[in-house]
Amino acid sequence: MCSSNLYSHPGRPLEGHLINVSKLVEIFISEKPKELKKNYTQLCKILGLLHDVGKATEFFQRYLLTTDEKEKNSLKNLPETKHSFFSALCGYYVIKELNLSDEFLSLFAFVVIRRHHGDLIDISDEVIVEEKDCENLYKQIESIDNKKFSILVDKLCEAGLPLRLEKDLIKKWIGSFPQELKYFKKCIRNLNNNIERFVTLNFIYSLLLDADKSDVVGLRLSEFAERVNISADIVERYKKVFPFQKSPINKLREKAYYEVLEQPLDPNHRIYSLNLPTGLGKTLISLAFALKLREKLGGKHRIIYALPFLSIIDQNASIFESIIKENGLPPYTNILLKHHHLSEIFYKKDDNEFEHNEAKILVEGWNSEIIVTTFVQVFHSMISNKNRSLRKFHRFANSIIILDEVQAIPVKYWLLLREILSVLSKKFNSYILLVTATEPLIFNQEDVKQLIEKDYYFKNLNRIKLIPLLDKDLTLTELYEYFNLMDGRTYLFVFNTISAARDFYIMIKKQTNLPATYLSTHLIPKERLKRIKEIKEKKYKVVVSTQLVEAGVDIDFDVVVRDIAPFDSIMQSAGRCNRNSLKETEKGETYIVSLRDERNRLYSSYIYDPTLLDITRKILKDYKEIKENELINLIEEYYIKVSERKTQSVSKEIIEAVSKLRYDTEDEKISVATFQLIEQSYFEVDVFIELDEEAKNIWQQYLELKRVKDFFERKKKFDLIKANFYQYVISVPVNVKNKPPIVEGIGYVGHETINDYYDLDTGYITKESTIIW
């Protein structure tokens, strides 16, 4: 059969693109749970076949094929050139003809196609069709070449389109469409607190987006059809090569490992908890359990391992890479993928390193067996209106989601995430593993399968004692005078604000000659990573830090001093104290202090919820000393009080928006787009610090990018240097007094002015007395 001579992209036949997208959708959905395949395979294939059918208009073809830049720009913004509404109309009626049990699916087909080049909006705004929209549709259908369209439709029907598109039929659809959508207005108003429709719409939208973007960059179908088997015992083999040395703490680690791995698996259990004290090997245990569960489920579930902080992603990903290598597997990206917003755009499979555009799609689409990523990536892929975020939503189907350091989830979102994760686990055949030393009450305990007898491990640990010093609020000078830093022990001080940490560090440097270092987000990431490595190598006697060392960073001190914080944060800081129990006859000491600044304001009040601080103080007030084996009861008491006193109103408002499919709105209503896992109380500007020769070179490459006129080519080139570029970038408030010049859209501290803005020891130089960022 000859070509229609219609094109979707320069040099790409329209029928080829539509059919390929449909085939990719079929591949993606073929690895989903049986119920999803049954309910949505035909629907999604049809969406693939129709999503760009509006490109058949003469208006779009002229825009695509013209080589005159002026004419192209003129045609680009004409309403007649737009193709999504026309395509969405066709999708709506073809799906309606299927007489599916859920009438919303035809509306969803319309929304998904209409918004596949943009973000989702309030669905109540989608059912408004203006007269000018219909007039434009009539112009578009009249412009289509009959012969070309007939050939196109023949090919689409051959590929599985169940209804033959005819121009006269489409004209009838246009005439009746306003009335069709009017029917849904009442249905939308009556949507109740059921979030399954939200999950369904996201799923369909995600499949189309992923297939469309994958085909546009030229990825072959085979890249997605081939999956990799990973043996369930690779962690066990790794442990035999690198066994734990004999010690009391390692004996507990071994016991915990085998207790979890010997648990009988029941696929009907969807939500699991690994609640172990810090330092007992949760990273290895959680991966080993996930691989065992994956094998039980048929070996095709993707493992999505999520962490709250960028600072520990590299650490845990490198552990997984070592395990994979030790088992003779190549650590290619299709097996192990590290993904966050600063990730290098790199994808390798079977010795084939993919071109940038292909790699970007594969990385951001989570095309791997084990994905190590952030909470932000995971939860903003579940709860979002953004095209880019929702593209990977379908990956949650048939997945094992490990939420490590789950206590970092803000209390106000407990209910929201419980509802979303519960629906995903049931509807998507997904499994959730909560990993923490301080398990929050996100789920009802009867819904969670405990993998470990946690009381045994907490009660059998005697590494530290917690010492509250809260009778009096201390100044930094009083804090310094309280401790004898020359006693031969190692000290970690954890502060609530950067200014407190910086001032205390300067005090130590002036008054002692002890090897000491400092950590905060004032320092460029490259320097922070270097110092953390040196801390692990025991180079320093005293470390002064903000909370960035609190969770997951594998460092160990004799004494930890923590400015008061919510109790779960205190527990995490205590996990850096005598972590490996190297001095079995001596207990580590973790002191809790309450620090005030020169204005007599508590540093803790700048960043923490007063209710959480109040609960913590009341729990600690009656103790002079707390043994480690008593902490499990206190953390449980803390979370019970938190759940009693902290409202879930924010969660309830977003759940309502989710249920109403209110993805985004221009009025004051809460929408899905409102959800922000990490909220900033101030606006920030990125600042590039030209610290060394490498930074100079990267900055010059950045400046050269600005000469590239084509936006997509410029973005592509930036992606190639992005990972290295952000090693020299910090964020400062836009109203900081010592504000650097803005150069090419970013704050810039050149090497020749570095002394004015950046201290090699303490990082960015500010003029403010109390800095919390």
Side-chain angles (χ1 to χ4, degrees), residues 47 90 245 330 378 497 504 562 597 690 748:
L47 298 190
C90 295
Q245 299 302 312
V378 166
T497 72
F504 191 75
R562 177 68 165 96
D597 62 19
E690 198 176 61
Y748 171 62

Side-chain angles (χ1 to χ4, degrees), residues 576-613:
R576 311 312 119 196
C577 183
N578 199 20
R579 183 180 179 87
N580 294 307
S581 196
L582 296 177
K583 299 177 181 178
E584 294 175 25
T585 58
E586 298 178 30
K587 290 183 187 177
E589 295 174 352
T590 296
Y591 293 86
I592 311 305
V593 297
S594 180
L595 299 175
R596 57 183 172 88
D597 62 19
E598 62 277 3
R599 290 174 285 189
N600 278 330
R601 180 172 173 181
L602 298 181
Y603 287 104
S604 57
S605 69
Y606 287 102
I607 60 170
Y608 288 123
D609 184 304
T611 302
L612 301 183
L613 291 172

